[in-house]
Amino acid sequence: MAGRRDFLNQPAPENYVAGLGRGATGFTTRSDLGPAREGPSEDQIKEALAKRAAQLGAAAPTAYGAPEKKEEDDDDERFQDPENEVGLFAGGAYDKDDDEADRIYQEVDEKMDRRRKARRSISLFTSNHPSFSIADGLSYMRIDEQITDVSTYREAREKAEREEYERNNPKIQQQFADLKRALSTVSDEDWANLPEVGDLTGKNRRAKQALRQRFYAVPDSVIAGARDSTELGTTVADDGPSGGDGPDGTMTNFADIGAARDKVLKVKLDQASQGTDSVAGSATNIDPKGYLTSLAKSQIHEGEAQVGDINRARVLLESVIRTNPKHGPGWIAAARLEELAGKTVAARNVIARGCEFCPKNEDVWLENIRFNDNHNAKIIAANAIKNNDHSVRLWVEAMNLESEPRAKKRVIRHALDHIPQSVMLWKEAVNLEEDPDDARLLLAKATEIIPLSVELWLALARLETAENAQKILNKARKAIPTSHEIWIAAARLQEQTGNYKINVMKRAVLALAKESAMLKREEWITEAEKCEEEGAILTCGNIIQETLGWSLDEDDDRKDIWMEDARASIGRGKYETARAIYGYALRVFVNSRKLWLAAADFEKNHGTKEALWQILEKAVEACPQSEVLWMMLAKEKWQAGEIDNARRVLGRAFKQNPNNEDIWLAAVKLEAENNQPEQARELLKTARQEAPTDRVWMKSAAFERQLGDIEAALDLINQALQLFPAAAKLWMMKGQIYQGEGKLPQAREAYGTGTKACPKSVPLWLLYSRLEEKAGNIVKARGILDRARLAVPKSPELWTESVRIERRANNISQAKNLMAQALQQVPNSGLLYSESIWHLEPRTQRKPRALEAIKKVDNDPILFVTIARIFWGERRLEKAQNWFEKAILLDSDLGDTWAWYYKFLLQHGTEEKRADVVAKCILSEPRHGEIWQSVAKEPKNAAKNLEEILNIVVSKLE
């Protein structure tokens, strides 16, 4: 068995291919070949030949200089991969015939190289020795034997040919090499004096000359500038020597640069404040004057049309009318283009062709009529009507071309013969009639022909008498049962005649609802406002009464919806409509204090005194437990001078609200204002028994303090503090009394005890720190404010007071540090930004700081006043006034804003404007403000009115 398997170790016969006998064929794929690589080198070929010969046991091949294989390499060849051979026939058998063939081919290659070598050497020798010639083959063979290196002679020949070619055809760089070397001697002046390279060819030169000869229209600004350049100015420019000399000898005007920067900041401030206009309600965000000016500038005049644009548009429109000659707008556009170019005749020709191609297009005919004079326009109109006898616009245009009324009537009657169903033609015919009877006849005929035209029915009813108008409206209602206009006209007719036997609008709602033609609530409100504009007040009220609750269920927020409708009507200036809405809402929600207050406020601002009294009387009857309504009624009576009636109102209020502190205090104020201190004192005594609240005790002490009875005031305060130890105002009043008397230890004790009892009271902390500061204890004042900020960490008032203490102590650096901390703790405080802008920033940085503040703070009246003061200081009075008004609209309860605005008007306003501001201030009754409160709560100012307090506050402003 072992002998049978010996053939596996035997070499295969020569030219053996496995499987060839049974028809198998081999194939090679890309994966078998592997990635592309370079061919074998000469050494690799020699080595492969030697390996193959060693495997076959033959002698080493002598072709290609393959060396013989040494014996010691046999062991190494056994471990080589036979499939890693290189060469064209690495896998084939290499025999003696192959070796002989390789040797023969090698000899042939060497023979050919020798022949080429001899030929090159002979050509080189003969070129160097022209007299030499080959006599026989011996000399050739001798030369052949001398040549050993073929490549050397080939390279020499190629180099000689290349040098000869370069010598006969030099490069441009080589031609100018000597000139380039000479450029090193050229100086800078010579370079500067070199002329510009120009294109001197004939075609370009002529084109450039023609371009230079082109003429342009000189703008008016250039002409005006040339005119003004020769004028002598009579004003002195106050630029000053602040600028520096520029490189061209001019002066740099830093004042203009600063003005430009201020202008940019002003624009940014305006942009930042645009979001506040909608909140403040002062104005829209668009300047109407500037907007109209920009529109006027954006208009394109006829003379400003570019010729190139006209030519391009002409080509485009010609293509349009050529491809689609039946397109009327194309002809109209082409004619208007010629008109824009100033070619009226061409425009007429174009539109005439358009009429030929589009005889049924009335727009083209109307355009043709417009382009021609009256005589030709009449002829064109006649032709147009022949082609479009049912065009209402053409008939109306033909009528307008006539100058005599008779001719116009004739044309319009011809039109009615062709188009009897046109409402517009009937209206034109009626307008041409001067006699009302003739017009009435025409309208009667028109309503017979067109019974569904509401306009014709209403026009006929207006021309008839009241009785006939009612009959006509009944006919119209039967003809058009879905028309609400006819019902409204019937209601207005009823108002004019004074016949209120039936409620027309109630029947209208039922009839329209039956026909499913009921309008929406908003549309009915619009119709009511139209009636108010035309003077039909009763009809306006009837419409609101019958339609305001339409489509609203009880589940809906009807009260809020109706209040919003009333506010919208007030905003549009329709006060009667708003009054009717409030009246209807109050009939539905009789016990709504919110509605009664809104209605009373409406009457106070837009109604009469009697109407206000009437609405308040109804309000206190409907809401007897509302002390606000009682006090409003008593106040109105008191301000009208009816003191007894005011007392009666308060007496009725006591019966309905026996223990209400507001009513008690209102009665006390009434008696005190009318110089009845004893009665006021008795009322306060009774109030302390009936309604013992901290506010009643405080008012009692304040009343005694105003009367000058300090002991009684302190006694009342001490009694009240035993009952209400957490009442901060009582502690403040006690400290202020002691401070006013010069008793600083007692005042310090009152403030200290008060801050312990009421640690969250910011005014109490402020009074305590200011007491110590006035006493000269700056360090203690700082400590008090530090404790206050710990108790109330986010209070801008406390931070501002801390900054002010450092500023008043001339410690500006510490003030700036505190301000930085404050803005981190309270970044949205307008009070802090205002303090920083006015006292911690240089004048040049106020505007940028204000711009930064207005971006971070949303709608703060104190910041608005600061910006207004900045504009005031720059003499930009209109801007300043706008910002003052924005601040007032944002918070009308801030008395300091009113004072600053009034101070501004005292310098730059008119008498009427100042009176208006004072009246609005009295109406608003401001109660807050840092300076306002300090003045208003002074005991000596208790009897002063608001105008006097306003003047005192203005005098204290800095």
Side-chain angles (χ1 to χ4, degrees):
M1 296 297 290
R4 295 180 185 177
R5 294 193 295 271
D6 290 341
F7 72 92
L8 295 176
N9 297 325
Q10 296 178 0
E14 296 184 0
N15 300 327
Y16 172 75
V17 177
L20 185 63
R22 63 178 184 272
T25 58
F27 60 91
T28 303
T29 62
R30 182 59 183 161
S31 61
D32 296 328
L33 297 177
R37 60 178 179 263
E38 297 181 356
S41 63
E42 185 176 357
D43 295 338
Q44 291 175 338
I45 293 174
K46 291 178 182 179
E47 187 178 357
L49 291 175
K51 280 184 181 181
R52 192 178 299 111
Q55 288 177 357
L56 296 176
T62 59
Y64 302 102
E68 295 182 0
K69 189 67 176 177
K70 298 180 179 180
E71 295 180 358
E72 55 267 17
D73 295 335
D74 292 342
D75 295 337
D76 296 334
E77 293 298 330
R78 290 180 302 169
F79 301 101
Q80 300 241 348
D81 188 1
E83 296 182 358
N84 196 22
E85 299 290 347
V86 293
L88 185 61
F89 300 103
Y94 191 82
D95 53 7
K96 297 179 180 180
D97 295 336
D98 295 332
D99 184 37
E100 183 179 2
D102 292 339
R103 192 165 48 251
I104 292 173
Y105 277 116
Q106 184 180 7
E107 291 176 356
V108 171
D109 292 339
E110 292 175 354
K111 180 72 173 180
M112 295 299 293
D113 288 339
R114 286 196 298 274
R115 290 179 63 182
R116 285 192 294 272
K117 178 180 178 183
R119 191 180 299 112
R120 286 194 299 272
S121 62
I122 292 171
S123 61
L124 292 172
F125 184 79
T126 53
S127 62
N128 296 327
H129 303 83
S131 61
F132 177 80
S133 60
I134 299 175
D136 51 15
L138 293 176
S139 59
Y140 177 80
M141 292 301 296
R142 187 166 51 251
I143 294 171
D144 185 42
E145 291 173 358
Q146 294 176 357
I147 297 174
T148 58
D149 191 359
V150 179
S151 61
T152 302
Y153 287 97
R154 183 186 298 118
E155 292 175 358
R157 181 181 61 82
E158 292 176 353
K159 182 177 180 182
E161 291 177 355
R162 185 167 59 253
E163 290 177 353
E164 181 68 19
Y165 177 79
E166 291 178 354
R167 187 166 50 253
N168 296 332
N169 301 288
K171 297 180 180 179
I172 296 177
Q173 183 179 5
Q174 296 174 352
Q175 293 178 11
F176 292 96
D178 54 344
L179 298 176
K180 291 174 65 177
R181 284 193 294 272
L183 290 176
S184 61
T185 61
V186 179
S187 63
D188 295 338
E189 295 180 358
D190 296 335
W191 275 110
N193 294 328
L194 288 177
E196 295 291 338
V197 179
D199 190 0
L200 301 179
T201 58
K203 180 179 179 181
N204 291 335
R205 184 171 61 252
R206 289 191 298 271
K208 290 181 179 179
Q209 290 176 355
L211 183 62
R212 285 193 292 270
Q213 293 177 357
R214 182 176 295 177
F215 297 98
Y216 298 93
V218 180
D220 294 341
S221 59
V222 176
I223 298 174
R227 179 198 63 194
D228 298 338
S229 62
T230 59
E231 295 182 357
L232 294 177
T234 59
T235 59
V236 178
D238 190 13
D239 292 339
S242 59
D245 293 340
D248 54 352
T250 60
M251 297 291 292
T252 303
N253 192 345
F254 291 104
D256 292 344
I257 296 175
R261 184 195 62 184
D262 292 343
K263 185 175 183 180
V264 172
L265 288 172
K266 181 187 71 172
V267 172
K268 291 182 179 179
L269 280 174
D270 293 341
Q271 291 175 354
S273 67
Q274 284 180 358
T276 64
D277 289 342
S278 60
V279 178
S282 60
T284 59
N285 291 335
I286 298 176
D287 182 10
K289 296 181 180 178
Y291 184 65
L292 294 176
T293 304
S294 62
L295 284 179
K297 290 181 180 179
S298 64
Q299 290 180 355
I300 300 177
H301 301 286
E302 296 181 2
E304 297 177 0
Q306 297 293 331
V307 177
D309 296 340
I310 290 177
N311 291 334
R312 287 192 293 270
R314 183 182 290 114
V315 173
L316 178 63
L317 292 174
E318 286 178 355
S319 175
V320 171
I321 60 180
R322 191 185 307 111
T323 55
N324 189 6
K326 299 294 185 182
H327 186 61
W331 291 102
I332 295 174
R336 290 182 178 176
L337 178 66
E338 299 298 338
E339 183 186 14
L340 180 65
K343 300 180 179 180
T344 308
V345 178
R348 291 174 182 172
N349 295 332
V350 170
I351 201 65
R353 291 174 53 205
C355 292
E356 294 176 1
F357 283 98
C358 306
K360 296 297 182 182
N361 193 318
E362 62 179 7
D363 294 326
V364 178
W365 286 107
L366 290 171
E367 195 71 13
N368 195 1
I369 293 171
R370 187 179 67 84
F371 278 124
N372 288 270
D373 54 9
N374 190 270
H375 178 71
N376 294 332
K378 290 181 180 180
I379 299 174
I380 295 170
N383 294 329
I385 289 173
K386 288 180 182 179
N387 291 281
N388 303 273
D389 56 348
H390 283 77
S391 174
V392 177
R393 296 169 61 193
L394 286 174
W395 281 107
V396 173
E397 188 65 26
M399 180 198 69
N400 293 330
L401 291 174
E402 300 292 341
S403 58
E404 297 182 358
R406 182 177 298 178
K408 289 186 176 184
K409 292 179 182 180
R410 183 172 61 250
V411 172
I412 205 68
R413 286 171 183 171
H414 282 298
L416 288 172
D417 291 339
H418 288 83
I419 319 171
Q421 297 294 330
S422 174
V423 177
M424 184 177 180
L425 290 177
W426 282 106
K427 290 170 65 176
E428 292 291 342
V430 171
N431 292 333
L432 290 175
E433 296 294 338
E434 299 177 357
D435 189 0
D437 295 334
D438 296 338
R440 192 181 300 113
L441 292 175
L442 281 175
L443 285 172
K445 183 67 175 177
T447 53
E448 292 179 3
I449 298 175
I450 314 174
L452 298 180
S453 175
V454 177
E455 296 179 83
L456 295 177
W457 283 109
L458 295 179
L460 179 59
R462 281 193 292 267
L463 291 177
E464 292 286 353
T465 60
E467 297 179 0
N468 293 334
Q470 187 175 358
K471 296 178 182 179
I472 290 170
L473 289 176
N474 289 330
K475 292 181 181 179
R477 179 173 51 81
K478 294 177 181 178
I480 315 172
T482 60
S483 174
H484 64 280
E485 294 93 343
I486 297 175
W487 285 104
I488 294 176
R492 295 186 59 179
L493 178 63
Q494 187 183 38
E495 181 180 357
Q496 293 174 5
T497 57
N499 184 11
Y500 298 104
K501 295 181 179 179
I502 57 175
N503 192 341
V504 176
M505 288 309 304
K506 185 175 182 179
R507 293 182 57 189
V509 170
L510 296 175
L512 292 174
K514 182 179 179 181
E515 298 291 336
S516 300
M518 190 65 179
L519 299 180
K520 296 180 180 179
R521 178 177 50 82
E522 294 82 1
E523 295 173 342
W524 281 115
I525 293 175
T526 304
E527 294 294 335
E529 291 178 353
K530 290 181 181 178
C531 293
E532 180 182 353
E533 288 181 0
E534 297 174 0
I537 305 300
L538 295 178
T539 304
C540 169
N542 290 334
I543 292 175
I544 294 298
Q545 180 179 352
E546 300 297 336
T547 62
L548 191 63
W550 182 259
S551 73
L552 290 179
D553 298 331
E554 294 182 0
D555 297 335
D556 298 331
D557 297 331
R558 294 183 296 171
K559 181 168 62 175
D560 296 334
I561 292 173
W562 290 337
M563 291 183 68
E564 185 62 31
D565 292 338
R567 284 192 291 266
S569 296
I570 293 171
R572 291 189 290 267
K574 303 300 184 292
Y575 302 125
E576 294 296 334
T577 305
R579 184 175 285 109
I581 293 173
Y582 277 128
Y584 180 82
L586 288 172
R587 283 192 292 272
V588 177
F589 300 98
V590 181
N591 299 321
S592 174
R593 189 183 68 169
K594 183 178 178 181
L595 267 176
W596 285 111
L597 288 173
D601 185 68
F602 167 75
E603 295 295 344
K604 183 178 181 180
N605 295 324
H606 305 288
T608 61
K609 186 188 302 182
E610 291 75 13
L612 177 59
W613 290 355
Q614 184 179 3
I615 199 75
L616 286 175
E617 288 288 350
K618 294 180 179 178
V620 295
E621 291 178 4
C623 304
Q625 306 301 322
S626 176
E627 69 277 3
V628 178
L629 294 173
W630 285 107
M631 288 191 295
M632 283 183 66
L633 180 57
K635 184 179 178 181
E636 293 299 328
K637 297 286 186 180
W638 170 37
Q639 291 180 349
E642 300 182 3
I643 306 299
D644 295 335
N645 290 332
R647 289 194 180 100
R648 294 190 188 97
V649 170
L650 290 176
R652 292 162 55 194
F654 279 129
K655 294 179 180 179
Q656 299 293 335
N657 304 275
N659 297 324
N660 189 279
E661 67 173 14
D662 293 325
I663 298 177
W664 281 105
L665 295 178
V668 170
K669 185 177 180 180
L670 176 64
E671 299 299 337
E673 292 290 340
N674 290 280
N675 298 321
Q676 300 292 334
E678 294 299 329
Q679 295 183 8
R681 187 179 284 113
E682 291 297 328
L683 285 173
L684 284 171
K685 184 177 180 180
T686 307
R688 290 196 299 271
Q689 297 174 358
E690 299 292 335
T693 63
D694 57 342
R695 187 182 173 198
V696 171
W697 282 97
M698 184 195 65
K699 290 292 184 180
S700 300
F703 181 72
E704 297 296 340
R705 184 185 177 192
Q706 292 172 8
L707 295 178
D709 193 351
I710 303 300
E711 296 297 332
L714 283 174
D715 183 56
L716 287 173
I717 290 174
N718 291 327
Q719 295 180 30
L721 286 175
Q722 294 178 1
L723 298 174
F724 309 99
K729 289 186 177 181
L730 291 174
W731 292 108
M732 285 188 283
M733 189 177 296
K734 183 177 180 180
Q736 286 174 341
I737 291 175
Y738 281 127
Q739 188 175 355
E741 293 293 321
K743 300 178 181 179
L744 297 184
Q746 290 86 345
R748 185 180 292 113
E749 181 185 1
Y751 289 144
T753 309
T755 53
K756 293 178 182 178
C758 310
K760 298 296 183 180
S761 176
V762 174
L764 190 57
W765 286 106
L766 293 176
L767 289 173
Y768 193 10
S769 68
R770 288 169 185 170
L771 173 67
E772 298 296 344
E773 184 183 6
K774 289 180 180 179
N777 300 325
I778 304 298
V779 177
K780 192 171 183 180
R782 288 196 192 105
I784 291 170
L785 288 176
D786 291 340
R787 287 190 288 125
R789 292 200 304 271
L790 292 175
V792 190
K794 298 292 184 179
S795 173
E797 292 82 5
L798 292 175
W799 281 105
T800 304
E801 188 66 23
S802 299
V803 172
R804 288 175 180 174
I805 284 181
E806 301 299 336
R807 181 171 55 82
R808 287 191 288 263
N810 293 325
N811 194 357
I812 303 301
S813 60
Q814 181 63 21
K816 290 183 178 180
N817 293 334
L818 283 173
M819 180 59 70
Q821 298 178 21
L823 290 176
Q824 290 179 355
Q825 293 291 329
V826 192
N828 298 323
S829 172
L831 179 62
L832 287 172
Y833 275 108
S834 179
E835 180 71 20
S836 174
I837 290 169
W838 278 112
H839 301 290
L840 299 180
E841 297 290 343
R843 184 179 296 272
T844 56
Q845 295 298 320
R846 287 178 180 176
K847 264 193 172 181
R849 191 66 168 169
L851 176 62
E852 177 187 355
I854 204 170
K855 289 181 179 179
K856 293 183 178 180
V857 181
D858 186 18
N859 299 333
D860 192 289
I862 300 176
L863 182 60
F864 283 9
V865 171
T866 301
I867 297 173
R869 291 171 61 190
I870 292 175
F871 285 122
W872 182 7
E874 295 178 352
R875 305 292 295 178
R876 295 177 181 175
L877 305 180
E878 185 176 357
K879 284 286 184 182
Q881 183 174 350
N882 290 337
W883 282 94
F884 276 128
E885 291 177 354
K886 289 178 183 178
I888 289 174
L889 289 171
L890 193 62
D891 187 4
S892 61
D893 191 51
L894 195 63
D896 291 356
T897 305
W898 289 101
W900 276 113
Y901 190 25
Y902 188 65
K903 185 175 182 179
F904 169 79
L905 292 177
L906 287 175
Q907 297 182 14
H908 307 289
T910 61
E911 187 63 33
E912 294 79 9
K913 187 66 176 178
R914 288 193 289 269
D916 181 61
V917 168
V918 171
K920 290 181 178 179
C921 178
I922 294 173
L923 187 63
S924 299
E925 295 183 1
R927 297 180 181 274
H928 296 87
E930 186 176 0
I931 302 176
W932 184 275
Q933 283 183 308
S934 63
V935 173
K937 292 184 180 296
E938 276 288 327
K940 61 182 179 180
N941 299 328
K944 292 181 171 61
N945 55 28
L946 284 175
E947 185 175 359
E948 294 173 344
I949 293 175
L950 179 64
N951 291 320
I952 297 174
V953 174
V954 167
S955 64
K956 289 191 174 185
L957 292 176
E958 298 179 357

